[in-house]
């Protein structure tokens, strides 16, 4: 097991009606905040009314900035920074999913920086300060509610870049599974694929002697694979949503990757897809991950054999190792198909025209991944397999 430090400061407040007392949490930090959200969905389940009522009762003044689009855009981040400065705001409440939270985090670091916030995403400059943030989560998917990262798209260049810093951990995240009841089917599917991918990015690593985190990852994958089909069948099944929402948080709060290297190549490869084609991030991952697996499994086949046995119950004895690995990858693809996701670029209308440029951009900061270190030529091959 590798040496590690683990610290996740985000307080998780989980359960029925939890968002109705968000004002009591916010007021611990500020009485003058930015309320940040996306499109119409915040109104769907009365979430907007409940949140604003609670803020008002707690004596919190809020300035609103809605309009965050999935794959959040830099232009709105600039607007948010301007608003925070003008209104002397020192806290941002994000009500939504990964896109709203990531936009809030970008505003939070940008408002405390004299230069261009994009420097943090493109040039790798480290933020040294940020406004504090809090979250009411409305979709289990990205795990941004207690992660240290934010992913933003710059519209004119279609660059989708990330920034990770401990300044981006939200102070608290409220997770009420009831808020998921209004989610459209395609967002549930994409969110599920993203959650599974966050676990797999940590599971498929070259390290040995990681028994506990292996078992945690395998348990989390099983919990997700069992409960995601349940919420697709029964949209108001609280217990199944609670499992999905909690798994989504644990998948990306840092715990599952401790003592091991983590990979993240598939995410890097996918971000170029959603940057250019505006596909939902999780839907892109359902296509990229199996292709990545087919390209790299021979590097450490024993990990795929373990995945086959423990996650899918595929018995490896007396079988050829290649066959076991490919059967497991096939089983993952079947899972994606069963929940209604495609595993080929051509099936979602994406052509081969940008493979070179996407491979180049994916490797803008060097090679990708730890399971196998990928050059831009490798990444291009993976897009070909995914096509
Ligand atoms: O725009 P509105 O109307 O709000 O609708 C949203 C949006 O269209 C809708 N939605 C959310 N909650 C809902 C709902 N609709 C009905 N009922 C509800 N309760 O869902 C749509 C998608 O929302 P979005 O926030 O984009 O989804 P997600 O949470 O999947 O976030 C994806 C973004 O997060 C980034 C991705 O790259 C992508 O940009 N990621 C961020 C990470 C991080 N910061 O740690 C890690 C991830 O790997 C990921 O890269
Ligand atoms: Zn993701």
């Amino acid at each position: 097991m590798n040496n590690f430090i683990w610290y996740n400061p985000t307080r998780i407040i989980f359960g029925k009606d939890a968002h109705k007392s968000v004002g009591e949490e916010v007021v611990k930090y500020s009485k003058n905040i930015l309320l940040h959200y996306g499109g119409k969905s915040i109104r769907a389940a009365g979430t907007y009314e409940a949140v604003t009522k609670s803020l008002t009762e707690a004596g919190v003044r809020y300035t609103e900035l809605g309009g965050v689009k999935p794959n959040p855009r830099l232009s709105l981040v600039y607007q948010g920074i301007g608003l925070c400065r003008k209104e002397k705001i020192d806290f941002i409440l994000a009500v939504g999913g990964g896109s709203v939270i990531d936009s809030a985090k970008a505003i939070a670091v940008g408002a405390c920086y004299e230069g261009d916030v994009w420097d943090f995403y493109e040039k790798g400059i480290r933020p040294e300060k940020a406004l504090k943030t809090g979250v009411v989560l409305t979709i289990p998917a990205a795990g941004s509610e207690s992660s240290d990262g934010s992913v933003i798209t710059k519209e004119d260049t279609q660059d989708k870049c990330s920034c990770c810093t401990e300044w981006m951990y939200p102070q608290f995240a409220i997770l009420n599974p009831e808020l998921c009841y209004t989610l459209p089917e395609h967002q549930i599917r994409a969110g599920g694929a993203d959650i599974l991918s966050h676990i797999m990015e940590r599971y498929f690593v070259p390290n040995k002697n990681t028994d506990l985190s292996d078992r945690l990852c395998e348990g989390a994958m099983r919990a997700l694979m069992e409960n995601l089909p349940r919420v697709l069948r029964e949209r108001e099944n609280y217990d199944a949503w609670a499992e999905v929402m909690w798994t989504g948080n644990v998948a990306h709060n840092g715990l599952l990757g401790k003592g091991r290297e983590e990979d993240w190549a598939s995410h890097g490869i996918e971000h170029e897809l959603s940057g250019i084609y505006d596909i939902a991030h999780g839907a892109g991952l359902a296509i990229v991950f199996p292709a990545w697996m087919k390209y790299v499994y021979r590097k450490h086949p024993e990990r795929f054999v373990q995945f086959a046995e423990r996650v899918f119950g595929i018995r490896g004895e007396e079988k050829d190792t290649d066959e076991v690995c490919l059967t497991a990858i096939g089983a993952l693809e079947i899972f994606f198909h069963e929940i209604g996701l495609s595993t080929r670029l051509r099936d979602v209308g994406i052509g081969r025209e940008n493979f070179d440029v996407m491979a180049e951009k994916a490797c803008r900061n060097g090679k990708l991944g730890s399971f196998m270190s990928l050059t831009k030529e490798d990444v291009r091959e993976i897009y070909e397999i995914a096509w």
Side-chain angles (χ1 to χ4, degrees):
M1 198 186 295
N2 294 354
N3 292 0
F4 67 87
I5 295 171
W6 188 47
Y7 175 62
N8 188 313
T10 305
R11 208 150 79 89
I12 302 298
I13 303 158
F14 190 100
K16 288 182 182 170
D17 290 334
H19 65 298
K20 292 182 181 164
S21 34
V22 63
E24 290 166 32
E25 290 304 317
V26 170
V27 81
K28 293 175 189 166
Y29 304 97
S30 171
K31 285 196 157 194
N32 182 28
I33 71 161
L34 185 74
L35 174 60
H36 201 32
Y37 51 87
K40 288 195 286 255
S41 76
I42 192 177
R43 315 258 172 191
T47 309
Y48 176 86
E49 288 70 21
V51 166
T52 50
K53 181 168 179 275
S54 176
L55 291 173
T56 306
E57 282 171 3
V60 176
R61 172 182 180 267
Y62 56 90
T63 302
E64 294 188 35
L65 180 63
V68 180
K69 295 200 175 111
N71 299 317
R73 318 295 150 105
L74 184 61
S75 55
L76 195 73
V77 170
Y78 289 141
Q79 261 191 58
I81 293 170
L83 259 183
C84 287
R85 288 184 179 150
K86 181 165 164 268
E87 302 295 333
K88 302 200 176 350
I89 282 165
D90 56 3
F91 186 93
I92 306 172
L93 179 65
V95 183
S99 296
V100 176
I101 304 166
D102 285 4
S103 182
K105 289 173 172 179
I107 296 169
V109 289
C112 299
Y113 180 58
E114 289 192 357
D116 183 348
V117 65
W118 190 242
D119 292 348
F120 298 135
Y121 291 80
E122 191 190 32
K123 298 185 183 156
I125 294 175
R126 310 283 300 168
E128 287 175 3
K129 215 175 160 198
L131 304 183
K132 290 192 161 111
T133 58
V135 173
V136 174
L137 186 66
T138 63
I139 169 172
S144 181
E145 69 274 10
S146 57
S147 84
D148 63 352
S150 156
V151 193
I152 299 292
T153 298
K154 187 169 190 281
E155 296 94 314
D156 52 351
T157 57
Q158 295 179 314
D159 283 324
K160 186 172 181 181
C161 297
S162 54
C163 167
C164 287
T165 160
E166 61 188 32
W167 291 103
M168 283 186 175
Y169 283 115
Q171 303 301 305
F172 65 82
I174 295 180
L175 278 58
N176 176 357
E178 293 169 310
L179 301 190
C180 305
Y181 295 169
T182 53
L183 276 167
E185 210 165 274
H186 65 281
Q187 294 297 345
I188 302 175
R189 298 171 180 146
D194 195 17
I195 293 171
L196 194 56
S197 301
H198 292 162
I199 306 167
M200 295 193 297
E201 296 280 18
R202 294 174 164 95
Y203 184 73
F204 289 100
V205 294
N207 308 76
K208 305 241 183 306
N209 304 316
T210 50
D211 289 354
L212 175 65
S213 49
D214 281 3
R215 297 280 185 184
L216 291 173
C217 288
E218 289 151 2
M221 285 190 263
R222 289 288 339 144
L224 192 273
M225 287 182 184
E226 282 164 24
N227 285 288
L228 200 81
R230 285 173 72 197
V231 300
L232 282 166
R233 282 195 305 272
E234 305 160 42
R235 289 307 178 69
E236 301 201 359
N237 183 331
Y238 180 85
D239 292 324
W241 270 120
E243 299 293 345
V244 171
M245 206 168 204
W246 184 219
T247 306
N249 183 261
V250 171
H252 203 44
N253 71 3
L255 172 68
L256 302 185
K258 292 304 138 212
R260 46 209 294 150
E261 273 170 52
E262 308 196 9
D263 189 76
W264 298 102
S266 299
H267 265 68
I269 297 169
E270 192 294 315
H271 282 162
E272 301 312 323
L273 282 177
S274 45
I276 292 184
Y277 296 99
D278 208 16
I279 183 177
H281 167 63
L285 284 166
I287 296 169
V288 168
F289 232 112
W292 173 85
M293 288 175 156
K294 287 172 198 166
Y295 193 73
V296 306
Y297 77 89
R298 285 200 182 90
K299 195 83 182 159
H300 303 282
E302 67 286 354
R303 186 134 285 272
F304 278 85
V305 170
Q306 183 176 317
F307 175 65
E309 289 179 355
R310 295 192 188 167
V311 178
F312 288 110
I314 298 163
R315 305 307 308 170
E317 305 102 20
E318 297 166 22
K319 280 199 195 128
D320 174 61
T321 302
D322 261 25
E323 189 191 332
V324 176
C325 297
L326 291 171
T327 308
I329 298 167
L332 178 68
E333 289 186 299
I334 291 168
F335 171 74
F336 285 141
H337 296 160
E338 280 175 355
I339 61 167
L341 288 169
S342 302
T343 54
R344 289 288 182 282
L345 290 172
R346 66 178 83 190
D347 294 341
V348 297
I350 294 179
R352 301 172 62 238
E353 63 281 357
N354 283 312
F355 284 2
D356 285 326
V357 70
M358 291 194 298
E360 184 86 39
K361 279 183 169 188
C363 295
R364 57 167 81 73
N365 296 322
K367 292 183 182 177
L368 290 183
S370 63
F371 190 87
M372 175 173 164
S373 184
L374 302 174
T375 62
K376 65 180 180 195
E377 289 76 22
D378 295 317
V379 172
R380 200 192 182 291
E381 276 306 308
I382 291 170
Y383 285 127
E384 286 290 351
I385 296 170
W387 193 70

